[in-house]
Amino acid sequence: MKLKSVTLHQVSIPLVTPFETSFMRETEKDCYLVEAVFDTPQGEITGWGESVAMISPLYSSEYVAAGIDVTRRWLAPLLFDVENLTAETVGWHLRHVIGHPMAKSALEMAVIEAQLKLNNQSFKDYLGGVVDSVPSGVSVGIQDSVEETVKVIGGYLEEGYARIKLKIKPGKDIAPVAAVRKAFGDDFGFQVDANAAYTLVDAAHLRRLDDYGLLLIEQPLGEADIRQHAELAKLMDTPMCLDESIVSAEAAADAIMLGATSVINIKPGRVGGFIEAKKIHDLAAAHGVAVWHGGMVETGLGRAANAALASLPGFTLPGDISGSNRFFHEDITEEIVMYDGKVDVPTGIGFGVSIDPAKLERFRTESVEILP
Ligand SMILES: O=C(O)CCC(=O)N[C@@H](C(=O)O)c1ccccc1
């Protein structure tokens, strides 16, 4: 395939309720979509991708404006020069640009989808997915009060989500976790995500979470603190899970070998794309390390692609692949529906969902066309 044009569509989609983590409170989903047109033996084919970078560099160093800029000035031009572009070689062609994994992943997604359409294949089949639906977990932001936390989580349990993930930060951790367990008992999957809000100095305080039968504690310490997570893992019964730290298959190998993680949150955008994410899945499986699919408040496009990746056998824990309605009144693709604690793995060609032009128009804030 030969890349002919790339158009980046920046969108801003209102969230149904504010989403607060230890580092940010969002009321809109701001991201950009990649619309890439390719010349192929079967004529022109369009593939779509989605960047998971946030509007501000607070989860990682990436952010929307930087992703648009690096794609326009560096990444797309590199791919325009490739005569026969394939999904499996996008990362290699972009290797000299340092960093920007989310921007690279968004472009790779568009190449993947075009290749899938060329080969009349679903993403699930391309990856080797083995199930038709995946368990659907939900991520719950930091709430204004313990009572509100119990109310919100009660609502999601009512809806039937397979697992609850609660964001925590210093001062909003033990009390809400204890209240949720007191209110709903021990028989549901419950985990916490600190987004790097603590340090090893907080070890004694974090150990108090061991009393609540959590599935895991996600990224309590900083992205660079692989060794420190290994130290903390020795002090806690709750299984350690890394997110921000796992920036590549190599980082995953280091974290596993150092005992810093016994569960890994896989996010294609964080590691440079789905091809690298599958490598991490395979590496973890070889080491007997469980993985689950993280989420970045994706639109239905990213959510559909994530569900396909999560259909691989090593994804043994429910992921953050909730229904579209958890975050959006309206999705820009067909709605991803959570039912009976699961979401279906798309079976259509490509990612199995399509961008609704009218909704793209409604939520679009600007578009940048990039030509060779
Ligand atoms: O369900 C979802 O899509 C969101 C899951 C979630 O909590 N994502 C968090 C995270 O730290 O993993 C996040 C969201 C947005 C941006 C950065 C991180």
Side-chain angles (χ1 to χ4, degrees):
M1 298 187 304
K2 176 83 172 141
L3 182 60
K4 277 184 70 180
S5 74
V6 173
T7 305
L8 307 181
H9 301 284
Q10 186 170 348
V11 296
S12 184
I13 309 173
L15 297 178
V16 292
T17 56
F19 184 56
E20 184 172 340
T21 62
S22 64
F23 57 82
M24 190 173 183
R25 186 174 192 273
E26 295 175 289
T27 54
E28 284 90 27
K29 167 64 184 176
D30 295 288
C31 71
Y32 67 87
L33 303 173
V34 177
E35 179 183 14
V37 181
F38 300 81
D39 263 341
T40 80
Q42 289 168 26
E44 263 192 18
I45 292 181
T46 299
W48 285 85
E50 174 174 349
S51 162
V52 296
M54 301 173 62
I55 198 75
S56 313
L58 299 175
Y59 166 80
S60 72
S61 60
E62 295 193 79
Y63 57 100
V64 171
I68 291 172
D69 184 69
V70 75
T71 302
R72 187 173 55 79
R73 292 208 285 164
W74 294 93
L75 302 180
L78 282 168
L79 298 188
F80 284 135
D81 290 344
V82 181
E83 279 315 306
N84 179 24
L85 188 55
T86 63
E88 297 79 7
T89 57
V90 170
W92 186 81
H93 287 297
L94 300 179
R95 70 193 182 286
H96 292 309
V97 173
I98 304 301
H100 300 281
M102 295 174 180
K104 291 177 177 177
S105 177
L107 261 185
E108 181 199 76
M109 260 184 92
V111 180
I112 289 173
E113 185 170 54
Q115 186 170 302
L116 291 172
K117 290 178 177 176
L118 179 63
N119 298 331
N120 246 342
Q121 196 176 29
S122 71
F123 194 31
K124 173 194 167 191
D125 290 345
Y126 170 82
L127 290 165
V130 294
V131 291
D132 298 327
S133 64
V134 292
S136 176
V138 65
S139 178
V140 180
I142 292 169
Q143 304 298 315
D144 293 338
S145 68
V146 170
E147 294 70 25
E148 189 59 21
T149 305
V150 171
K151 178 167 168 284
V152 167
I153 287 179
Y156 288 131
L157 288 171
E158 265 306 294
E159 277 191 66
Y161 275 103
R163 179 269 284 142
I164 301 288
K165 164 169 132 174
L166 175 62
K167 295 292 184 176
I168 59 171
K169 69 178 184 183
K172 292 207 166 185
D173 46 24
I174 306 297
V177 167
V180 167
R181 274 299 190 215
K182 185 163 183 284
F184 305 114
D186 295 330
D187 293 341
F188 68 95
F190 189 24
Q191 65 193 55
V192 294
D193 181 3
N195 287 114
Y198 298 86
T199 70
L200 202 51
V201 173
D202 302 311
H205 175 78
L206 289 169
R207 281 185 63 180
R208 291 175 54 197
L209 289 167
D210 286 344
D211 295 343
Y212 300 101
L214 299 175
L215 281 171
L216 55 89
I217 177 170
E218 187 182 350
Q219 197 75 40
L221 311 180
E223 176 184 329
D225 299 341
I226 303 273
R227 183 189 53 76
Q228 295 187 40
H229 275 102
E231 288 304 310
L232 181 60
K234 290 180 198 139
L235 301 171
M236 291 187 72
D237 298 331
T238 305
M240 200 58 62
C241 173
L242 293 179
D243 170 1
E244 287 87 335
S245 297
I246 309 298
V247 294
S248 64
E250 186 179 10
D254 291 348
I256 291 169
M257 299 308 283
L258 286 168
T261 194
S262 50
V263 184
I264 289 180
N265 165 333
I266 287 186
K267 290 178 181 176
R270 185 190 69 219
V271 301
F274 282 88
I275 303 296
E276 184 76 1
K278 183 176 182 303
K279 288 176 185 167
I280 294 171
H281 160 272
D282 298 345
L283 169 79
H287 283 272
V289 167
V291 299
W292 55 281
H293 205 297
M296 295 290 284
V297 194
E298 289 93 341
T299 74
L301 179 72
R303 223 157 271 272
N306 292 352
L309 183 62
S311 73
L312 288 176
F315 286 85
T316 52
L317 290 171
D320 286 343
I321 307 180
S322 46
S324 297
N325 66 354
R326 184 269 175 257
F327 286 108
F328 310 119
H329 300 288
E330 281 188 281
D331 209 328
I332 54 171
T333 64
E334 298 86 339
E335 190 183 359
I336 303 291
V337 179
M338 186 286 286
Y339 67 99
D340 301 338
K342 56 192 178 186
V343 297
D344 287 339
V345 178
T347 53
I349 303 301
F351 296 131
V353 293
S354 44
I355 303 287
D356 179 322
K359 290 182 186 169
L360 176 61
E361 205 39 47
R362 187 176 329 145
F363 297 123
R364 197 170 61 84
T365 52
E366 73 159 316
S367 292
V368 174
E369 186 182 37
I370 309 167
L371 298 168

